[in-house]
Amino acid sequence: SINFRDNSALESIGAGTFSALINGSIYFSDNDALVRIGPDLFSSLENADSVALYHNDVLEEFSLPALREVTRYVAIGGGDWCGRNRVRYPNHRLTKLSMPKLTTIKGEYLIGADKLCPTYAGGYALFVVKNTRLPECFYDYMSSNVTIERGARYSNENGPGGCTCELVNGEVQATCP
């Protein structure tokens, strides 16, 4: 697993390339100064166990250009599961999210399942919540292009609506009025 968590002074990650994770997850959380994740860091990574991006206050872009399959879930941001206000972890400045080759989320373990959300025990395989600058079309693009084998899709309290997202030169890009 790749876990960058609670690094208050980390501003950039860019050296090296991760091409394989064995039963591994990609997890970025509570990195208050993280502005940049190098474009080549995950350029050849095709599979991951899970992908989570929570509470990275200044990160503006997140891209997994080669990712094709996720075993468990994709969670970007955080919010109100089941009306219980369990988690509030927005990515305040995230404006771009690109996983253009992602085709499958298996949902073998789900966000919000079991004790966290007894009113919806099915859980979420795709969860994009509280990214106040991220155009909603990024979620719409992922939702319409990814097969979810088990679990639900959920999006709420993201950024501007009325935008359109499309694949341009291998990256998902938004056009907003």
Side-chain angles (χ1 to χ4, degrees):
S1 291
I2 299 167
N3 188 348
F4 289 93
R5 185 175 185 172
D6 294 320
N7 295 291
S8 61
L10 181 66
E11 293 180 1
S12 178
I13 303 166
T17 300
F18 292 99
S19 59
L21 291 174
I22 309 246
N23 295 321
S25 298
I26 299 168
Y27 191 90
F28 288 89
S29 171
D30 299 293
N31 299 296
D32 298 334
L34 183 61
V35 174
R36 182 177 174 277
I37 298 172
D40 296 330
L41 192 64
F42 299 112
S43 63
S44 59
L45 181 68
E46 294 185 5
N47 299 291
D49 187 49
S50 56
V51 176
L53 186 70
Y54 301 123
H55 203 242
N56 296 284
D57 287 338
V58 295
L59 185 66
E60 294 181 359
E61 297 182 9
F62 185 69
S63 179
L64 297 169
L67 187 68
R68 295 182 184 280
E69 183 177 280
V70 174
T71 304
R72 297 170 70 184
Y73 59 83
V74 173
I76 309 297
D80 190 0
W81 292 334
C82 305
R84 295 175 182 254
N85 199 15
R86 294 279 187 200
V87 179
R88 294 210 176 269
Y89 297 132
N91 295 299
H92 293 291
R93 292 193 185 158
L94 189 67
T95 59
K96 182 178 179 185
L97 174 65
S98 186
M99 298 179 206
K101 294 184 179 179
L102 183 62
T103 59
T104 305
I105 301 174
K106 291 185 174 184
E108 291 182 7
Y109 173 86
L110 303 170
I111 289 281
D114 305 320
K115 293 179 184 177
L116 290 177
C117 187
T119 60
Y120 183 69
Y124 302 105
L126 177 59
F127 188 82
V128 182
V129 175
K130 288 198 167 293
N131 302 287
T132 57
R133 293 186 184 177
L134 182 70
E136 185 67 23
C137 68
F138 282 102
Y139 167 81
D140 296 339
Y141 184 91
M142 285 179 67
S143 187
S144 64
N145 289 290
V146 174
T147 298
I148 294 179
E149 294 180 1
R150 181 174 164 261
R153 305 161 198 259
Y154 184 68
S155 174
N156 191 18
E157 298 183 56
N158 290 309
C163 302
T164 57
C165 283
E166 62 185 344
L167 194 60
V168 177
N169 298 324
E171 285 288 318
V172 179
Q173 294 184 4
T175 303
C176 299

